[in-house]
C-alpha cells in the first residue's frame, strides 16, 4: 500500500485532489457479489452486468403522430396529392391486413404502420374532401414514421455494467420488458464523528459543547451516493478506545468514514489511532477548505478521515470520498462537469492549493451568470452552504484573481447526486 514518504511527513507536502483520488482508488476494489433486484427498487443501484436488448425498441414500425399513412411512391412529386381514404389503425390494433396501395390510411400516435406505408402526414396538414385526403407537397419519405429499432436494436448493449441507474434508465429497462436486474451490493459505510465537545442533537448542551452536525451531513451524502449508512455515533478523544472502535467497525462495514481529529493538534487522535489499528496512505491534501484528509486501511477495510468543520466535510466528501465510494460500489465514476461563471469579486489565495469558494449566482445584463461570494467563508459556517448555490473552483497555480474572471462553478446538485 502507498505510504507517505519521510520527506512528505517532514515538510508537510500536499497532494493534489487528483493525486489523492488516484491514491485512494488504488486502495479499494469493487465489492464482490451481486444480487437481483426488481426495477421498483433499482433506482441508484449499480449494474453488475451489461444489459443487452432482447428486442427492437420500438418493436414495430409505428406512427409518431395522429395523421394519415401513405406510400411515398404514391405521392405526386411536383404538387398536392389526392388519395382515397381507406382504413383506420389505432394504437394496439393489428395493421397487417390493411391495404395501402394508392390510398391513405388513418393512423394514430403509436399505431403500427400498415404494410408498405412509409410516410405519415400530420392530420393538421391535410384536407378532407368527400372520402379523399389532400396531401401537401414537400414532405420527405419516412416523415413522422418511427422504424422498428429506431431507439435501440435487438442485440445492442442498452446499459453497461458499472452504471448507476437513474429514473430514465429504469424506463429503458421497463421498455425492454425487464422486471429485475443484477446489481452490485451496496457498500456499508460506518460513520463516526470525533470530539469531546460533541453532543447528540436533542440532548442538553453543556458549556463549551456543540451539537454534532457532521453525522447528519454525512448520513445524507453517503445515502445519496448509493451506500448503506451504519451510524456508530460519536468517538471521544481517547486514543485506545478510538483504535478499538475503529477496529470493531471493520467486522460489518466496507468503509469507515470519520470527521474530525485528523490534524496534528494534541487532541487530534484519529490519525494516530488509524496508524495503531492499520496504516495510512496520506493525510494532507492541497484543498481549501479541508486540508487534513486521512486515507488508509484499518485492517483490510478502507478508512477516510475528513476534517472537523462541516463545510470542509462537505467539500472533501464531494471531491475525495465520493469517487472512492463509487469505486467501492462498482460504479464507473464520472467527475461532475462544472459550468463557467463570471466572478463578481476579486480574490487572493495561496499558491499550491485548490480553493472552493461558496457563491450565489445572479444573471448579468448580458445573460452570463455572475458568482457572488458569501460574506462569511469560515469552514464552520453552515449557512454559507445553505444560502449559496454552489462552489467556484480556483486552481492551485492562481494567487490573485480579478473580478470579472471566468471560473468553473459546481452546483451543489452535481456534488451530492
Amino acid at each position: 500500500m502507498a505510504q507517505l514518504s519521510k520527506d512528505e511527513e517532514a515538510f508537510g507536502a500536499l497532494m493534489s485532489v487528483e493525486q489523492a483520488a488516484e491514491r485512494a482508488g488504488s486502495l479499494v476494489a469493487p465489492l464482490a457479489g451481486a444480487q437481483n433486484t426488481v426495477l421498483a427498487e433499482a433506482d441508484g443501484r449499480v449494474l453488475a452486468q451489461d444489459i443487452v436488448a432482447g428486442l427492437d425498441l420500438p418493436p414495430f414500425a409505428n406512427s409518431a403522430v395522429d395523421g394519415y399513412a401513405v406510400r411515398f411512391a404514391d405521392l405526386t412529386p411536383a404538387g398536392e396529392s389526392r388519395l382515397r381514404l381507406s382504413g383506420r389503425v389505432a394504437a394496439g390494433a393489428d395493421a397487417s391486413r390493411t391495404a395501402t396501395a394508392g390510398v391513405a390510411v388513418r393512423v394514430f400516435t403509436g399505431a403500427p404502420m400498415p404494410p408498405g406505408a412509409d410516410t405519415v402526414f400530420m392530420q393538421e396538414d391535410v384536407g378532407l374532401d368527400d372520402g379523399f385526403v389532400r396531401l401537401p407537397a414537400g414532405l420527405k419519405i419516412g416523415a413522422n414514421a418511427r422504424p422498428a429499432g429506431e431507439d435501440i436494436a435487438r442485440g445492442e448493449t442498452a446499459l453497461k455494467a458499472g452504471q448507476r441507474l437513474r429514473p430514465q434508465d429504469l424506463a429503458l429497462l421497463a421498455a425492454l420488458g425487464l422486471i429485475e436486474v443484477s446489481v452490485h451490493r451496496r457498500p456499508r459505510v460506518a460513520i463516526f464523528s470525533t470530539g469531546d465537545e460533541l453532543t447528540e442533537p436533542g440532548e442538553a448542551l453543556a458549556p463549551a459543547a456543540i451539537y454534532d452536525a457532521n453525522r447528519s451531513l454525512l448520513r445524507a451524502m453517503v445515502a445519496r451516493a448509493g451506500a448503506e449508512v451504519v451510524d456508530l455515533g460519536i468517538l471521544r478523544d481517547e486514543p485506545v478506545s478510538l483504535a478499538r472502535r475503529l477496529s470493531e467497525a471493520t467486522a460489518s462495514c466496507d468503509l469507515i468514514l470519520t470527521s474530525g481529529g485528523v490534524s496534528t493538534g494534541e487532541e487530534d487522535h484519529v490519525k494516530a489511532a488509524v496508524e495503531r489499528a492499520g496504516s495510512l496512505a496520506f493525510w494532507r491534501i492541497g484543498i481549501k477548505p479541508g486540508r487534513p484528509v486521512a486515507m488508509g486501511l484499518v485492517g483490510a477495510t478502507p478508512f477516510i478521515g475528513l476534517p472537523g468543520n462541516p463545510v470542509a466535510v462537505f467539500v472533501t466528501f464531494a471531491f475525495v470520498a465520493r469517487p472512492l465510494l463509487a469505486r467501492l460500489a462498482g460504479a464507473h465514476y464520472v467527475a461532475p462537469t462544472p459550468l463557467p461563471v463570471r466572478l463578481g469579486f476579486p480574490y487572493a489565495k495561496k499558491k499550491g492549493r485548490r480553493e472552493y469558494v461558496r457563491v450565489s449566482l445572479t444573471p448579468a445584463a448580458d445573460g452570463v451568470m455572475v458568482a457572488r461570494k458569501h460574506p462569511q467563508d469560515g469552514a464552520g459556517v453552515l449557512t454559507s452552504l445553505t444560502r449559496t448555490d454552489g462552489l467556484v473552483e480556483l486552481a492551485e497555480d492562481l494567487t490573485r484573481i480579478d473580478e470579472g474572471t471566468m471560473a468553473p462553478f459546481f452546483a451543489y446538485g452535481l456534488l451530492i447526486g
Side-chain angles (χ1 to χ4, degrees):
M1 184 185 70
Q3 297 282 346
L4 281 177
S5 69
K6 291 182 178 179
D7 286 343
E8 286 177 317
E9 288 281 10
F11 298 102
L14 300 179
M15 300 181 70
S16 71
V17 175
E18 287 79 13
Q19 288 171 332
E22 182 178 357
R23 184 86 69 93
S26 70
L27 296 179
V28 302
L31 297 176
Q35 56 191 199
N36 287 343
T37 186
V38 295
L39 293 193
E41 299 175 1
D43 185 35
R45 302 299 297 269
V46 178
L47 276 178
Q49 60 187 32
D50 290 351
I51 300 296
V52 177
L55 73 164
D56 288 331
L57 191 63
F60 53 87
N62 65 92
S63 175
V65 297
D66 291 348
Y68 299 86
V70 301
R71 301 190 315 174
F72 188 81
D74 290 335
L75 300 178
T76 302
E80 182 181 83
S81 301
R82 188 169 182 270
L83 297 177
R84 181 172 56 85
L85 178 58
S86 176
R88 181 181 185 276
V89 182
D94 180 5
S96 61
R97 298 182 179 180
T98 302
T100 56
V103 300
V105 178
R106 179 71 163 125
V107 292
F108 298 87
T109 304
M113 292 289 287
D118 52 22
T119 303
V120 180
F121 285 81
M122 297 177 66
Q123 62 184 15
E124 53 265 41
D125 294 334
V126 308
L128 299 178
D129 183 13
D130 193 23
F132 287 82
V133 292
R134 300 189 307 275
L135 308 168
L139 201 63
K140 294 182 178 180
I141 187 172
N144 302 315
R146 297 183 289 218
E150 176 188 51
D151 194 348
I152 192 166
R154 181 176 183 175
E156 184 181 345
T157 299
L159 297 171
K160 291 185 176 295
Q163 180 167 335
R164 188 176 300 281
L165 292 171
R166 306 162 296 173
Q168 58 265 47
D169 301 319
L170 300 182
L172 177 59
L173 294 172
L176 291 171
L178 298 180
I179 59 173
E180 64 178 22
V181 288
S182 177
V183 296
H184 285 283
R185 178 171 67 83
R186 292 185 190 272
R188 287 171 54 86
V189 180
I191 295 176
F192 293 102
S193 290
T194 67
D196 287 343
E197 76 281 12
L198 297 179
T199 300
E200 290 284 2
E203 296 182 0
L205 197 62
I210 60 173
Y211 287 120
D212 179 13
N214 286 349
R215 277 182 19 253
S216 292
L217 174 65
L218 287 174
R219 279 196 302 264
M221 296 189 79
V222 168
R224 286 186 179 226
E228 180 181 343
V229 176
V230 182
D231 187 346
L232 296 180
I234 296 171
L235 293 173
R236 300 306 175 186
D237 292 324
E238 201 288 308
V240 175
S241 65
L242 272 173
R244 175 179 55 80
R245 292 192 66 190
L246 291 175
S247 294
E248 289 173 351
T250 66
S252 60
C253 295
D254 306 300
L255 172 68
I256 300 172
L257 184 62
T258 69
S259 64
V262 292
S263 191
T264 55
E266 293 182 7
E267 296 300 323
D268 292 323
H269 300 299
V270 174
K271 177 174 174 285
V274 172
E275 291 177 314
R276 182 178 292 108
S279 56
L280 281 180
F282 61 81
W283 67 280
R284 285 161 58 87
I285 301 176
I287 186 174
K288 182 182 178 182
R291 180 176 62 184
V293 177
M295 173 66 207
L297 296 172
V298 177
T301 301
F303 164 85
I304 303 176
L306 303 180
N309 285 311
V311 178
V313 169
F314 181 93
V315 171
T316 52
F317 183 91
F319 290 101
V320 180
R322 195 166 181 229
L324 181 145
L325 188 53
R327 175 169 170 77
L328 192 64
H332 295 306
Y333 179 74
V334 178
T337 302
L339 297 176
V341 297
R342 181 185 298 151
L343 298 186
F345 57 92
Y347 197 80
K349 60 179 286 292
K350 290 183 179 180
K351 190 173 184 179
R353 68 184 182 190
R354 188 174 307 174
E355 293 199 18
Y356 291 94
V357 182
R358 286 143 278 170
V359 300
S360 299
L361 300 185
T362 55
D366 60 1
V368 175
M369 299 304 291
V370 176
R372 309 289 181 187
K373 179 179 172 295
H374 192 271
Q376 295 173 287
D377 57 6
V381 181
L382 274 167
T383 53
S384 68
L385 290 175
T386 63
R387 297 175 181 175
T388 54
D389 298 313
L391 306 174
V392 161
E393 182 181 72
L394 303 176
E396 290 86 346
D397 59 340
L398 299 175
T399 56
R400 177 72 188 178
I401 303 97
D402 295 328
E403 182 174 353
T405 302
M406 299 299 292
F409 166 78
F410 293 91
Y412 289 138
L414 288 176
L415 302 179
I416 63 177

